[in-house]
mmCIF file of all heavy atoms in Angstrom:
data_model
loop_
_atom_site.group_PDB
_atom_site.id
_atom_site.type_symbol
_atom_site.label_atom_id
_atom_site.label_comp_id
_atom_site.label_asym_id
_atom_site.label_seq_id
_atom_site.Cartn_x
_atom_site.Cartn_y
_atom_site.Cartn_z
ATOM 1 N N GLN A 48 0.736 -14.531 5.842
ATOM 2 C CA GLN A 48 -0.276 -15.579 5.957
ATOM 3 C C GLN A 48 -1.631 -15.134 5.403
ATOM 4 O O GLN A 48 -2.613 -15.868 5.489
ATOM 5 C CB GLN A 48 -0.449 -16.014 7.422
ATOM 6 C CG GLN A 48 0.708 -16.824 7.968
ATOM 7 C CD GLN A 48 1.939 -15.974 8.227
ATOM 8 O OE1 GLN A 48 1.842 -14.856 8.711
ATOM 9 N NE2 GLN A 48 3.096 -16.504 7.873
ATOM 10 N N GLY A 49 -1.701 -13.917 4.869
ATOM 11 C CA GLY A 49 -2.933 -13.414 4.277
ATOM 12 C C GLY A 49 -3.889 -12.749 5.249
ATOM 13 O O GLY A 49 -5.014 -12.424 4.894
ATOM 14 N N ARG A 50 -3.423 -12.510 6.481
ATOM 15 C CA ARG A 50 -4.274 -11.837 7.476
ATOM 16 C C ARG A 50 -4.240 -10.333 7.234
ATOM 17 O O ARG A 50 -3.179 -9.754 7.034
ATOM 18 C CB ARG A 50 -3.786 -12.146 8.886
ATOM 19 C CG ARG A 50 -3.962 -13.595 9.282
ATOM 20 C CD ARG A 50 -3.452 -13.802 10.675
ATOM 21 N NE ARG A 50 -2.012 -13.598 10.707
ATOM 22 C CZ ARG A 50 -1.142 -14.460 11.241
ATOM 23 N NH1 ARG A 50 -1.565 -15.562 11.820
ATOM 24 N NH2 ARG A 50 0.144 -14.193 11.229
ATOM 25 N N LEU A 51 -5.423 -9.717 7.288
ATOM 26 C CA LEU A 51 -5.518 -8.263 7.143
ATOM 27 C C LEU A 51 -4.969 -7.607 8.403
ATOM 28 O O LEU A 51 -5.459 -7.851 9.499
ATOM 29 C CB LEU A 51 -6.976 -7.851 6.926
ATOM 30 C CG LEU A 51 -7.242 -6.364 6.778
ATOM 31 C CD1 LEU A 51 -6.573 -5.825 5.512
ATOM 32 C CD2 LEU A 51 -8.732 -6.096 6.748
ATOM 33 N N MET A 52 -3.939 -6.770 8.244
ATOM 34 C CA MET A 52 -3.317 -6.086 9.379
ATOM 35 C C MET A 52 -3.939 -4.715 9.621
ATOM 36 O O MET A 52 -4.123 -4.300 10.747
ATOM 37 C CB MET A 52 -1.813 -5.926 9.147
ATOM 38 C CG MET A 52 -1.068 -7.235 8.967
ATOM 39 S SD MET A 52 -1.216 -8.328 10.393
ATOM 40 C CE MET A 52 -0.297 -7.418 11.621
ATOM 41 N N THR A 53 -4.245 -3.995 8.533
ATOM 42 C CA THR A 53 -4.848 -2.669 8.640
ATOM 43 C C THR A 53 -5.471 -2.309 7.298
ATOM 44 O O THR A 53 -5.069 -2.838 6.254
ATOM 45 C CB THR A 53 -3.818 -1.606 9.078
ATOM 46 O OG1 THR A 53 -4.483 -0.380 9.358
ATOM 47 C CG2 THR A 53 -2.740 -1.382 8.041
ATOM 48 N N ALA A 54 -6.456 -1.422 7.334
ATOM 49 C CA ALA A 54 -7.108 -0.929 6.124
ATOM 50 C C ALA A 54 -7.339 0.565 6.280
ATOM 51 O O ALA A 54 -7.668 1.036 7.371
ATOM 52 C CB ALA A 54 -8.430 -1.654 5.891
ATOM 53 N N HIS A 55 -7.156 1.297 5.194
ATOM 54 C CA HIS A 55 -7.283 2.753 5.233
ATOM 55 C C HIS A 55 -8.070 3.245 4.021
ATOM 56 O O HIS A 55 -7.831 2.803 2.900
ATOM 57 C CB HIS A 55 -5.902 3.414 5.214
ATOM 58 C CG HIS A 55 -5.076 3.082 6.399
ATOM 59 N ND1 HIS A 55 -5.131 3.796 7.558
ATOM 60 C CD2 HIS A 55 -4.193 2.082 6.612
ATOM 61 C CE1 HIS A 55 -4.305 3.264 8.446
ATOM 62 N NE2 HIS A 55 -3.727 2.218 7.887
ATOM 63 N N LEU A 56 -8.985 4.174 4.268
ATOM 64 C CA LEU A 56 -9.675 4.883 3.199
ATOM 65 C C LEU A 56 -8.763 6.035 2.783
ATOM 66 O O LEU A 56 -8.328 6.827 3.625
ATOM 67 C CB LEU A 56 -11.017 5.421 3.688
ATOM 68 C CG LEU A 56 -11.804 6.254 2.694
ATOM 69 C CD1 LEU A 56 -12.185 5.431 1.475
ATOM 70 C CD2 LEU A 56 -13.045 6.820 3.355
ATOM 71 N N LEU A 57 -8.465 6.106 1.493
ATOM 72 C CA LEU A 57 -7.555 7.133 0.974
ATOM 73 C C LEU A 57 -8.354 8.223 0.277
ATOM 74 O O LEU A 57 -9.177 7.949 -0.590
ATOM 75 C CB LEU A 57 -6.572 6.506 -0.013
ATOM 76 C CG LEU A 57 -5.765 5.335 0.518
ATOM 77 C CD1 LEU A 57 -4.944 4.725 -0.599
ATOM 78 C CD2 LEU A 57 -4.895 5.759 1.687
ATOM 79 N N LYS A 58 -8.105 9.439 0.666
ATOM 80 C CA LYS A 58 -8.754 10.596 0.049
ATOM 81 C C LYS A 58 -7.899 11.094 -1.117
ATOM 82 O O LYS A 58 -6.675 10.953 -1.101
ATOM 83 C CB LYS A 58 -8.923 11.720 1.074
ATOM 84 C CG LYS A 58 -9.803 11.335 2.245
ATOM 85 C CD LYS A 58 -11.225 11.133 1.797
ATOM 86 C CE LYS A 58 -12.114 10.825 2.987
ATOM 87 N NZ LYS A 58 -13.469 10.541 2.571
ATOM 88 N N PRO A 59 -8.499 11.695 -2.134
ATOM 89 C CA PRO A 59 -7.736 12.244 -3.259
ATOM 90 C C PRO A 59 -6.690 13.260 -2.778
ATOM 91 O O PRO A 59 -6.944 14.031 -1.857
ATOM 92 C CB PRO A 59 -8.801 12.933 -4.117
ATOM 93 C CG PRO A 59 -10.072 12.232 -3.768
ATOM 94 C CD PRO A 59 -9.940 11.868 -2.312
ATOM 95 N N GLY A 60 -5.514 13.218 -3.399
ATOM 96 C CA GLY A 60 -4.458 14.170 -3.084
ATOM 97 C C GLY A 60 -3.560 13.780 -1.930
ATOM 98 O O GLY A 60 -2.592 14.481 -1.643
ATOM 99 N N LEU A 61 -3.836 12.675 -1.252
ATOM 100 C CA LEU A 61 -2.991 12.229 -0.144
ATOM 101 C C LEU A 61 -1.674 11.700 -0.723
ATOM 102 O O LEU A 61 -1.685 10.735 -1.491
ATOM 103 C CB LEU A 61 -3.705 11.132 0.645
ATOM 104 C CG LEU A 61 -3.040 10.628 1.918
ATOM 105 C CD1 LEU A 61 -3.026 11.733 2.975
ATOM 106 C CD2 LEU A 61 -3.775 9.416 2.446
#
Side-chain angles (χ1 to χ4, degrees):
Q48 288 73 40
R50 293 180 294 231
L51 179 65
M52 300 300 292
T53 189
H55 297 273
L56 177 63
L57 305 174
K58 298 293 183 184
L61 186 67

